[in-house]
Amino acid sequence: MTRRRPVPGPRSGAFVAVVLAVLTPTVTACGGDEETRDYSVPDTLCGVRVDAEELTPFLPPGKKLSVKPKVRPTSIWCDVAVDGKLAVRTVQKWWQGGVDTAYFLRSQTLERVEKTADEGRYVYSDWQAFGKTEGCVDEKYEQELYTGIQAYGSDHRDADAMKRLIVSFTKEVEKSDECDEGAS
């Protein structure tokens, strides 16, 4: 299925809810009180593989995890909620070609994000990160595919883990159908 991307920006799209099965609880400590994570941590988010071990610390304790994609002509947002509260959001977004990741991230956050890797291809902080794919180009609309991960609902802060997450997530997006659709 080929989607057309006339211009970047918000568009209406399909909403699909995927609720993951509750498995064996994992115990975590928080401020001296024991809280449990009574859900399994997924290894894919809206069809893109993620490192569940790296993602886990950014997810709060709770009973139920749900993953809800928001698919639009220029983007795929993937909201991960724990007990109904947004915990993590990933994004794949077609954006103006020929610009750097720092330019893209300004459309995604008002927070300062100053750490960079791979000559600015990845820009990250201790709770959010953004990347630029290689080879995912829509020449007709002069757009490139960018990625992002934001851990809104977590007190956990770890810049190195965020860097590893965005690098692996971006590489998986490069292998996806979304990247291929830009070439059509």
Side-chain angles (χ1 to χ4, degrees):
M1 176 171 104
T2 301
R3 291 191 309 249
R4 291 289 155 220
R5 290 171 287 285
V7 293
R11 305 276 186 253
S12 61
F15 294 87
V16 180
V18 178
V19 180
L20 299 173
V22 176
L23 295 177
T24 311
T26 303
V27 177
T28 60
C30 183
D33 297 327
E34 282 192 13
E35 296 185 49
T36 60
R37 185 177 288 115
D38 294 331
Y39 56 84
S40 64
V41 176
D43 60 3
T44 61
L45 295 178
C46 301
V48 178
R49 290 190 52 75
V50 294
D51 185 331
E53 189 174 315
E54 293 286 350
L55 179 62
T56 298
F58 291 102
L59 295 172
K63 297 192 179 299
K64 186 176 171 183
L65 181 136
S66 63
V67 179
K68 187 183 295 185
K70 296 177 185 176
V71 180
R72 297 183 173 134
T74 62
S75 63
I76 299 173
W77 299 83
C78 188
D79 288 350
V80 181
V82 174
D83 296 338
K85 294 181 182 176
L86 180 62
V88 172
R89 172 177 284 158
T90 67
V91 64
Q92 303 170 54
K93 187 170 182 99
W94 290 97
W95 193 253
Q96 178 181 347
V99 299
D100 62 12
T101 306
Y103 182 80
F104 168 71
L105 80 83
R106 287 191 218 63
S107 71
Q108 304 299 306
T109 185
L110 297 174
E111 301 285 328
R112 289 185 77 90
V113 183
E114 297 178 340
K115 295 179 184 281
T116 64
D118 197 3
E119 298 179 359
R121 180 176 173 204
Y122 302 102
V123 183
Y124 60 98
S125 72
D126 56 1
W127 71 275
Q128 61 182 342
F130 303 91
K132 182 177 184 179
T133 61
E134 287 184 341
C136 303
V137 177
D138 186 325
E139 292 180 14
K140 180 177 180 180
Y141 295 107
E142 299 177 353
Q143 295 177 339
E144 294 178 85
L145 189 57
Y146 291 82
T147 59
I149 299 174
Q150 295 170 296
Y152 293 105
S154 175
D155 292 332
H156 181 73
R157 299 293 185 249
D158 185 341
D160 290 335
M162 225 358 111
K163 176 185 169 189
R164 288 188 299 272
L165 271 171
I166 195 62
V167 169
S168 64
F169 181 74
T170 303
K171 289 186 183 303
E172 289 298 321
V173 168
E174 290 170 350
K175 300 176 197 173
S176 73
D177 290 343
E178 186 66 15
C179 180
D180 292 340
E181 288 201 19
S184 56

